[in-house]
Amino acid sequence: MRRLFGLVLFTGMMIWGLAARAEQTEFDPAKVSDSLKAIFQYGSASTKQALNANTVTLISGTIGGTYVQFGADLASVLDDGNKLRILPIVGRGSVQSVADILFLQGVDLGIVRSDTLEYLERKGIAKDIKKQFTYVTKLYNEEMHVIASKSIRNLRDLEGKTVSVDLPNGGTFVTALTVFERLGMKPKVVYVEQRIALEKLKAGEIDAVIVCGGKPYKSVSGFKDDRFHLVTVNYEKPLQGDYLPASLSAKDYPNLISGEDRVDTIAVPAVLAAYNWAPNTERYHKLANFVDAFFTKFPTFQNPPFHPKWREVSLSAPLPGWQRLPVAQQWLDRHGVEAVSRSRFDEFLKQSPAAARLQSDADKETLFKQFQAWDAEKNTRSQLRAGEKR
């Protein structure tokens, strides 16, 4: 009898143990993280205040663009329970993002194109706007994509043609119109959303579509029609003050470039920007919290599955005409991250056919000054990793 009772007790304990283990390992469709449980169970005025104080809101870009993917990547890596949360918002383009950073309540950061502020000042739309902005880091370079029929070989062939430059609240139209002005070109410009514009191009209603975005850009890579290709944009002298030489390949766009061909174009930097908050404000402290997390975890972004454009980012790259967020510069100084060297520039000249064709020392020096605001990814990543090991 005693043995039977012991057997029953042992069996009961085994069943209870298995049930407890199943409770811990089996899929629970109602399970949420412990931090969220705490919020729902013990939420209070102080909880609300802490959540808002630790949430950084980022205006990204339009659906399908590179900005949106960067925003999602930042949230994926940096979200840390209740300590820091990144809240990306789908934006409407670079010009709109500038306005959102300036005027929209709760917006802490935004991704904008480097030539946007200069354009707004040049056109008299905004006065001294650069003084109101600061930048955390230059991100990557956005290539200009010009899609047109194969009879159009060069950007200058679009003189007098009908060209779509996206909607006037984005950044593509800023870059396109700036380039046309610098080159003295006068195409017939229309403002059509990119996906619709590509359909109009197929129907013969317009002659070309311009898209500025980090390669491979989704709407461009998905475009397939054998009548069209990507058009060359030469790195002419009037463009060398604000833009950089770039190239596109069949690896980037197999539907629009064949074989081993490469298409020369230009690129414009994307910038992670913020309002120029005073250092003693709550909003500045939020940015400081973001900078420390972002810069510390930066190497993570340069590996899969994150967007390949992260590999172009150099935290230390200067940005002419912009002022760096002080806490970001302090972080770089504290960790010994140096700016790009002349040797990196020499390597770039060897690898870039368009840049290598520059003849005069003056032109090369101008490009070097621009390059200092460009890609020092290997240098930055190695120094950051060395800092982590220390």
Side-chain angles (χ1 to χ4, degrees):
M1 186 70 177
R2 188 177 297 170
R3 291 180 60 190
L4 179 61
F5 176 76
L7 182 61
V8 171
L9 179 62
F10 175 76
T11 304
M13 291 178 67
M14 285 290 292
I15 294 172
W16 178 84
L18 290 171
R21 190 179 305 167
E23 185 179 350
Q24 294 175 1
T25 59
E26 287 182 3
F27 173 69
D28 179 1
K31 188 174 180 62
V32 297
S33 68
D34 291 336
S35 60
L36 282 176
K37 283 181 181 177
I39 291 171
F40 292 128
Q41 292 174 8
Y42 308 110
S44 63
S46 60
T47 303
K48 178 180 178 181
Q49 184 179 3
L51 284 173
N52 281 279
N54 295 329
T55 297
V56 174
T57 302
L58 168 73
I59 288 289
S60 58
T62 54
I63 292 293
T66 314
Y67 292 179
V68 164
Q69 296 175 65
F70 263 55
D73 288 349
L74 285 166
S76 176
V77 174
L78 302 185
D79 277 14
D80 185 16
N82 298 330
K83 296 178 182 179
L84 177 65
R85 182 186 177 199
I86 309 302
L87 186 62
I89 301 175
V90 174
R92 295 176 60 190
S94 186
V95 175
Q96 182 67 58
S97 292
V98 167
D100 291 341
I101 293 170
L102 284 176
F103 303 116
L104 204 60
Q105 290 185 359
V107 172
D108 301 296
L109 293 164
I111 303 176
V112 302
R113 205 163 283 157
S114 66
D115 57 357
T116 302
L117 298 188
E118 192 275 334
Y119 176 87
L120 293 172
E121 287 191 352
R122 188 173 76 249
K123 294 298 182 180
I125 298 170
K127 185 178 180 181
D128 295 330
I129 193 170
K130 285 186 180 180
K131 294 180 181 179
Q132 300 179 66
F133 274 80
T134 183
Y135 79 103
V136 174
T137 186
K138 174 193 169 296
L139 289 174
Y140 57 90
N141 298 301
E142 299 194 277
E143 292 81 9
M144 175 180 274
H145 305 75
V146 182
I147 307 104
S149 69
K150 292 182 177 178
S151 62
I152 304 292
R153 306 300 303 174
N154 188 285
L155 181 70
R156 285 191 176 274
D157 292 341
L158 294 176
E159 179 71 39
K161 305 285 188 183
T162 302
V163 181
S164 171
V165 295
D166 203 2
L167 299 174
N169 52 5
T172 289
F173 96 94
V174 168
T175 300
L177 295 188
T178 300
V179 168
F180 291 148
E181 287 178 6
R182 298 276 177 88
L183 298 179
M185 292 178 58
K186 293 183 179 180
K188 181 182 177 183
V189 172
V190 293
Y191 301 95
V192 183
E193 195 268 325
Q194 289 169 359
R195 293 170 298 176
I196 298 172
L198 289 170
E199 293 303 313
K200 287 182 174 291
L201 180 65
K202 288 181 180 180
E205 297 175 27
I206 57 178
D207 299 302
V209 176
I210 293 182
V211 177
C212 292
K215 66 179 183 181
Y217 197 86
K218 188 174 181 180
S219 63
V220 179
S221 60
F223 182 79
K224 183 174 176 59
D225 190 313
D226 293 339
R227 297 173 297 165
F228 302 97
H229 71 154
L230 284 163
V231 174
T232 296
V233 181
N234 290 324
Y235 190 54
E236 299 188 40
K237 194 162 187 176
L239 305 180
Q240 292 170 17
D242 295 297
Y243 302 102
L244 290 158
S247 63
L248 309 171
S249 69
K251 182 180 178 181
D252 304 314
Y253 302 105
N255 295 338
L256 293 165
I257 302 174
S258 59
E260 299 298 317
D261 291 346
R262 302 185 73 86
V263 176
D264 288 340
T265 188
I266 61 170
V268 56
V271 184
L272 184 57
Y275 183 75
N276 190 16
W277 293 103
N280 59 346
T281 60
E282 181 183 340
R283 302 296 288 276
Y284 187 89
H285 293 317
K286 288 176 68 172
L287 292 175
N289 190 26
F290 168 83
V291 166
D292 186 61
F294 173 39
F295 283 14
T296 300
K297 297 180 179 180
F298 175 69
T300 303
F301 293 100
Q302 299 192 310
N303 296 294
F306 303 107
H307 196 285
K309 273 290 183 178
W310 279 110
R311 292 194 287 274
E312 289 186 11
V313 177
S314 166
L315 296 180
S316 61
L319 194 62
W322 287 67
Q323 54 184 329
R324 174 99 65 174
L325 179 70
V327 71
Q329 188 59 56
Q330 290 160 12
W331 193 100
L332 295 173
D333 294 341
R334 194 164 60 247
H335 290 79
V337 181
E338 299 176 359
V340 65
S341 67
R342 175 72 68 165
S343 61
R344 279 284 294 155
F345 176 68
D346 292 338
E347 290 178 21
F348 167 73
L349 286 179
K350 293 176 184 178
Q351 296 170 6
S352 173
R357 285 197 286 270
L358 296 177
Q359 298 297 317
S360 73
D361 291 338
D363 286 346
K364 289 182 179 180
E365 191 62 29
T366 298
L367 179 59
F368 174 66
K369 290 177 181 178
Q370 288 292 12
F371 183 80
Q372 285 183 303
W374 196 25
D375 174 25
E377 168 260 321
K378 290 182 180 178
N379 177 52
T380 301
R381 180 165 50 177
S382 63
Q383 292 190 53
L384 282 170
R385 286 177 174 167
E388 288 180 345
K389 291 177 182 178
R390 289 198 296 271

